[in-house]
Amino acid sequence: MANGIEEKPTVTVATATSPSDLAAVPQLIKELADGVSSLEPGCNEARQALAIKARTLMQALETPRETMIKHCWAQPAVYAAILCGNECGLWKLMAKNGDKPQKVKELACALGVDPVLLSRLLRHLGAMGYLLEVGEDEYKPTSFSLSLSLPIMNASPWAAPPSSTSMNTSAPGAGRTPRTPRTAPLMHAHKTDLNYFALAQSRGYLEDFNNHMGGYRQGRLPWMAPGFVPVQEVLIEGADRSSPDAVFMVDVGGCLGHDLLEFHRYHPAAPGKLVVQDLPQVVGSIAPSEENRALTAMPHNFFDEQPVQGARAYYMHSVLHDWPDERAEAIVKRVKAAMRPGYSKLLINENVIPRTDAYWEMSALDLVMLTQLSAQERTESDWYDLLERRCGLKIAKIWSGGRGVESLIECELK
């Protein structure tokens, strides 16, 4: 009602109950069939493009009403069913039983759970395609359900609840972007003064978070692999070989040193020390092992003065996306102050969102960071603003690993 005059709806109910774009279906099916011929093992670009095309076909066939019900009912119910399966050990049991049809009653008996409840949960997972229904109360595992037996997969639902709750119940208010960690929607949704990491720790989710991040990074070409960044040319050539104590690379906020260990596997002859820095309780938990001997663990808070001066490379993986610009600037400037002119590089391994055609993993993670920490995934323009305008560095090159893969931003002193 505006000015006492009832406004007529601009969209009718028929729009919500009709297929979204039936006319596009024949062409989409043709493009899908044509795309199959370009699929090759290990070619993620072609596979991802085909998956997006298949999604477009599904959306064209669905009615808007069906799409809405899927998001409001079906997907949250899948999430709940996966959590239940985690809690009772279902996914590990089904994987142990092997790739064969499995009866609900037998699974329920082995797990000591209510067979009626398990039947209802698996029925929905079957209806959604996460299990294959082969008969009444009988299901065959899929690659997805088998993968849920892996820690890097089954940890994700436990690691995600704090952020998913804030995404669902507390989007940014009044159309304004939260600018500080203390105003993150997560804190409002959970009525807490704890940030995401402190909240996850208080609920016992930190190990799950680490496993979740390990799963997120699987199947992606690491930046130090052949065909991504020419490490020999960019880093190893010109590195200081005069002293065994010279530091080659510092992983700032590097957790348990997984990235440095991967770098060492690819480039074992790189000169100098590999130093992993994180909070004392983190690096203190790095287990002694033959592999970990390649690392030098150093307690450090990246908001404090950088203790390693003049390293060949300072490296940060998914550190700055946890912080809004003001705090990210403070982190970078601590590293900048330690860099040696004409020698040191800052390497930032993060998403660079393209101007158009953003990949869904990047856009989704951007909103997760918004709600968790008032932070963000950054576009190329955002990175230039942060690193060059705010911090006074020079971006030498942005090395891209392709769609959905984190880039490596190579920075130097001006």
Side-chain angles (χ1 to χ4, degrees), residues 89-150:
L90 172 67
W91 311 120
K92 292 181 179 179
L93 175 61
M94 292 191 79
K96 183 179 179 181
N97 289 343
D99 186 21
K100 64 180 183 180
Q102 303 178 37
K103 296 183 180 296
V104 169
K105 284 187 178 180
E106 294 173 359
L107 292 169
C109 181
L111 296 169
V113 300
D114 179 1
V116 176
L117 173 62
L118 189 61
S119 173
R120 295 170 69 181
L121 294 173
L122 297 195
R123 179 170 60 209
H124 181 56
L125 291 175
M128 293 294 290
Y130 294 98
L131 291 170
L132 297 178
E133 186 180 48
V134 296
E136 184 178 358
D137 276 344
E138 188 173 10
Y139 299 90
K140 190 173 184 290
T142 61
S143 294
F144 177 74
S145 66
L146 290 171
S147 296
L148 287 174
S149 66
L150 300 171

Side-chain angles (χ1 to χ4, degrees), residues 209-377:
F209 172 80
N210 289 333
N211 281 325
H212 166 63
M213 293 309 299
Y216 162 70
R217 291 167 182 158
Q218 295 299 311
R220 295 169 160 211
L221 185 70
W223 64 268
M224 68 285 294
F228 198 150
V229 176
V231 171
Q232 181 69 31
E233 173 189 330
V234 172
L235 295 175
I236 295 178
E237 291 178 9
D240 185 359
R241 299 174 182 271
S242 63
S243 168
D245 293 326
V247 175
F248 181 77
M249 187 178 296
V250 182
D251 189 349
V252 182
C255 197
L256 302 181
H258 297 303
D259 284 22
L260 284 185
L261 290 174
E262 189 165 35
F263 180 88
H264 183 66
R265 286 192 288 271
Y266 277 103
H267 304 282
K273 291 182 177 179
L274 301 176
V275 177
V276 56
Q277 296 177 336
D278 214 307
L279 297 175
Q281 63 269 30
V282 178
V283 294
S285 65
I286 297 176
S289 69
E290 184 64 29
E291 184 181 45
N292 286 341
R293 287 179 62 186
L295 304 179
T296 298
M298 179 181 293
H300 174 60
N301 184 324
F302 46 54
F303 287 110
D304 296 336
E305 181 180 354
Q306 172 56 243
V308 179
Q309 299 288 306
R312 176 58 166 163
Y314 297 87
Y315 171 71
M316 287 189 281
H317 188 178
S318 298
V319 170
L320 300 180
H321 81 155
D322 287 338
W323 301 94
D325 283 345
E326 290 76 12
R327 302 294 280 163
E329 178 183 348
I331 295 168
V332 172
K333 284 185 173 178
R334 287 298 194 182
V335 173
K336 178 187 175 184
M339 294 171 68
R340 188 202 309 178
Y343 178 74
S344 299
K345 296 178 182 289
L346 170 60
L347 307 175
I348 298 171
N349 191 196
E350 293 215 21
N351 287 318
V352 178
I353 301 177
R355 293 178 183 275
T356 62
D357 196 27
Y359 191 56
W360 63 268
E361 286 191 31
M362 292 184 181
S363 59
L365 186 56
D366 179 47
L367 295 183
V368 169
M369 302 316 296
L370 171 73
T371 54
Q372 279 185 356
L373 298 160
S374 298
Q376 67 187 104
E377 300 302 307

Side-chain angles (χ1 to χ4, degrees), residues 72-85:
C72 292
W73 294 357
Q75 294 294 5
V78 165
Y79 187 85
I82 290 173
L83 278 173
C84 289

